[in-house]
Amino acid sequence: MLFQEKLSARAIQSTPGVCGGNARIRNTRIPVWTLVSLHQQGADEAELLRNYPVLEDRDLENAWRYYDRHREEIDRIIVSHQTE
């Protein structure tokens, strides 16, 4: 399990100046909060993969895993974008 967690940690990146420094899918500019928000609005995984063809199943798995561990952070970002 520890090995899987380390791989997942690399799959999600936070880089100052990229996507506002928010957590994003590895080597993309697709923020985790965007995927979570779309999923909460009813987009299923197949739709997300169609709309973001650079993503793979494991990217979504990593996004959901990140959200499970950082729910407060991601929810706060989603709310801040809804009020803009």
Side-chain angles (χ1 to χ4, degrees), residues 55-80:
L55 296 182
E56 301 172 2
D57 289 332
R58 66 186 169 92
D59 294 318
L60 294 180
E61 292 168 14
N62 289 326
W64 309 152
R65 190 174 296 118
Y66 185 90
Y67 179 59
D68 285 342
R69 292 192 180 117
H70 302 91
R71 190 171 298 264
E72 188 175 305
E73 167 197 339
I74 298 300
D75 287 344
R76 185 175 57 248
I77 296 167
I78 291 171
V79 168
S80 76

Side-chain angles (χ1 to χ4, degrees), residues 6-76:
K6 287 184 179 184
L7 285 178
S8 295
R10 275 190 231 130
I12 303 295
Q13 301 168 331
S14 296
T15 308
V18 178
C19 296
N22 295 317
R24 61 189 170 84
I25 302 299
R26 48 102 197 124
N27 303 324
T28 72
R29 291 182 174 269
I30 304 170
V32 171
W33 73 264
T34 297
L35 297 173
V36 170
S37 178
L38 291 170
H39 193 61
Q40 289 174 342
Q41 294 173 51
D44 63 16
E45 291 188 4
E47 183 177 354
L48 292 171
L49 292 172
R50 274 193 312 276
N51 289 327
Y52 296 94
V54 357
L55 296 182
E56 301 172 2
D57 289 332
R58 66 186 169 92
D59 294 318
L60 294 180
E61 292 168 14
N62 289 326
W64 309 152
R65 190 174 296 118
Y66 185 90
Y67 179 59
D68 285 342
R69 292 192 180 117
H70 302 91
R71 190 171 298 264
E72 188 175 305
E73 167 197 339
I74 298 300
D75 287 344
R76 185 175 57 248

